[in-house]
Structure formats: C-alpha cells, structure tokens
Amino acid sequence: MSDWTDTREGFARLGDEYTPDYRGYVINVRDEGEDWYIYAWDDRNGVTSYLARAATENAARELLELYAGIKQSGFLCDIYVSEAVGHCPESAVFVEWTHSKRDSGKQVHILQCARHSFLHDPTWTRTPIPEYRDEWGIDVEDTGIIGGRRGPLRDGEPTWVVLVDNTCQAPFIRATLRRALAASESVWAGTDHVNAAVHLSHNLPDEGPWTLTRTELHTIATAVKRRSKWGRGVWCPGTGEDEHHAVIAQRITEASEHAIRRRQQGLS
C-alpha cells in the first residue's frame, strides 16, 4: 500500500503524485468543521476524479486506502444506473449481503463501489470485500457475484457482464470463434448461435467489460469447450498469455451456466 504524503491540515495525498504509487487525495471542503471529499486516481485515463465523501479525515483515508487496495481485484459495482448506461463501471469496494435464501439456495449479494455505498439496507450486512473473502471466500458458483451480474437490456434481452482484464483475451475469443466457424463439423445446433459467432468474431471489442446476451454467452462457451480438439497452434499465445486465456474462458463458461440456470428457473 502507498504511504500518505504531502499531509497538511485539511489535505493529504496517498502516494507521491506523478509516480506509479499515486492513488489520489482527500480534502476537507469546509472552513469550519469537517466534510471530507475523496478523489481517486484512475490510471486508465490519467484523471483524478471524485470518489466519495466522509465525515472525518480518518474515514476519508480509510475509504481511499480501501478503494486503492480493491481496485485491481476485478469486481465491478452491481448498482444498475439506467437502461442507457447499464451498470456502474466502477470497481466494487463493499459487498452487501443477507442470510436469506432464494430459489438457488444461496445467499444474496450486492457489490457496491464507494460512490454507491450509501445504498445500504440496514437489514443486510455490509463489509469490505477483503474481509468478506477472508471470512466466507468469494466463489462465483457459490455467490453469483461475477457470473450472475446482470447487464443492461439489449434488443429486449437481458445481458450479463463479463470482465476483461488483459489485451490478449479478446483476440483469443475471436480466434476461437473463427476456428469454430471453420470447423468441418458444426459446433452449434442452431443458426442463432452461428449468427452470433459471425458477429462476435468480427465485433467483440478489445476492451471490456463485455455485455453479452444468453445466446452470445452460450455461443462462446460452446466454442471454448471445443477448442481443445483444435490444438494450441490456432491461437499462438505469447509468453504468459495462457493463464489469461484460461481466466476469460472460465468467466464466459460460468456466466453462460448462470444464464441458463436463470432461464430454467424462469427468472429472466
């Protein structure tokens, strides 16, 4: 974790500005009393932007430290913003959960970024993600946090959000789909999946997160399942890329399975 620097009354930075360890700053916006604003550094676009507010300096520091520590975890906020925007794109910091059971027999969870952490239901338990992981473990199949994260509607059909965290993952999936389309034996049973494969093989974006329909998820998952028959040479992975390929394949598979279960349960 970065150290606090440039600390003075009403202001403190987390890490040294213009260095890789910089994470943002906290500032008291009141001349009298305390009202702390938290600004986090986003290395994706090189901007320090407003994150949240806190009543005390200690609380503000803790929240920025928590955000900085969780930012690379790969979990995204579950709060649905609008039909146009879909889900909040920020990294999740808290997990809010209840002991009640639903049809799946699992606990219900909602991931929240710092900005949406005020949407706390007092009947639920909220805890920072690292503490939740240490106590309960975060497993996609057990919790549905990643695989079941719903995205915006597209053409009247719900989508699921799949995290993309490496530039080699999209080319890998596109190559998998193209090889499946070129296979001598049909990979998919229906034309909907073939059409989806054609579209995705050309248009799946390099950066994510991806919002994919149930048909698209199943199309990719089926192609990934068949890929072992085609040999390693199809993708020509670079050094260290195999692990990232396995990660995206697993995320797609789990999201597809979750989407199928929801349809069987009549939930979407």
Side-chain angles (χ1 to χ4, degrees), residues 143-251:
T143 68
I145 285 178
I146 297 178
R149 184 175 185 270
R150 289 287 298 279
L153 291 176
R154 197 173 79 231
D155 299 329
E157 183 178 356
T159 60
W160 278 260
V161 175
V162 178
L163 181 68
V164 179
D165 52 18
N166 192 278
T167 56
C168 74
Q169 291 172 330
F172 166 68
I173 294 298
R174 290 195 297 263
T176 301
L177 291 169
R178 289 169 186 159
R179 187 63 183 88
L181 288 165
S184 56
E185 296 182 2
S186 179
V187 173
W188 303 280
T191 56
D192 287 346
H193 295 109
V194 174
N195 292 336
V198 171
H199 173 75
L200 292 169
S201 66
H202 292 92
N203 299 296
L204 192 67
D206 288 330
E207 296 182 356
W210 298 330
T211 54
L212 302 172
T213 65
R214 183 187 294 109
T215 298
E216 290 170 337
L217 284 171
H218 186 65
T219 298
I220 300 174
T222 302
V224 165
K225 186 176 180 180
R226 295 285 188 92
R227 78 187 191 278
S228 60
K229 298 181 179 181
W230 303 325
R232 178 184 175 91
V234 172
W235 303 286
C236 301
T239 303
E241 290 186 355
D242 280 342
E243 181 179 350
H244 296 296
H245 294 171
V247 167
I248 196 66
Q250 183 70 10
R251 288 175 182 164

Side-chain angles (χ1 to χ4, degrees), residues 101-120:
K101 305 292 183 178
R102 296 289 174 89
D103 294 339
S104 63
K106 306 299 183 183
Q107 293 172 330
V108 178
H109 306 75
I110 296 177
L111 291 174
Q112 298 171 330
C113 66
R115 189 175 302 177
H116 286 122
S117 61
F118 67 90
L119 299 174
H120 177 60

Side-chain angles (χ1 to χ4, degrees), residues 17-202:
E17 198 171 12
Y18 308 116
T19 66
D21 70 340
Y22 180 59
R23 295 294 180 265
Y25 63 88
V26 298
I27 185 170
N28 185 15
V29 298
R30 286 189 182 179
D31 293 331
E32 297 182 2
E34 291 187 276
D35 186 8
W36 289 82
Y37 278 32
I38 305 159
Y39 290 84
W41 169 256
D42 190 338
D43 51 17
R44 295 170 299 183
N45 55 24
V47 173
T48 303
S49 57
Y50 173 78
L51 175 66
R53 63 191 298 180
T56 67
E57 181 177 1
N58 285 339
R61 288 190 181 206
E62 289 177 3
L63 193 52
L64 183 55
E65 288 176 352
L66 182 63
Y67 180 80
I70 271 301
K71 187 172 176 57
Q72 302 303 321
S73 71
F75 295 104
L76 296 173
C77 180
D78 277 327
I79 304 302
Y80 194 85
V81 179
S82 69
E83 293 291 344
V85 176
H87 280 277
C88 170
E90 296 296 328
S91 300
V93 176
F94 298 102
V95 54
E96 188 172 307
W97 54 282
T98 175
H99 291 283
S100 66
K101 305 292 183 178
R102 296 289 174 89
D103 294 339
S104 63
K106 306 299 183 183
Q107 293 172 330
V108 178
H109 306 75
I110 296 177
L111 291 174
Q112 298 171 330
C113 66
R115 189 175 302 177
H116 286 122
S117 61
F118 67 90
L119 299 174
H120 177 60
D121 187 327
T123 65
W124 289 31
T125 301
R126 187 181 70 190
T127 188
I129 289 179
E131 293 181 14
Y132 182 86
R133 180 190 292 114
D134 292 342
E135 183 173 359
W136 298 97
I138 292 184
D139 181 82
V140 176
E141 184 65 23
D142 287 343
T143 68
I145 285 178
I146 297 178
R149 184 175 185 270
R150 289 287 298 279
L153 291 176
R154 197 173 79 231
D155 299 329
E157 183 178 356
T159 60
W160 278 260
V161 175
V162 178
L163 181 68
V164 179
D165 52 18
N166 192 278
T167 56
C168 74
Q169 291 172 330
F172 166 68
I173 294 298
R174 290 195 297 263
T176 301
L177 291 169
R178 289 169 186 159
R179 187 63 183 88
L181 288 165
S184 56
E185 296 182 2
S186 179
V187 173
W188 303 280
T191 56
D192 287 346
H193 295 109
V194 174
N195 292 336
V198 171
H199 173 75
L200 292 169
S201 66
H202 292 92

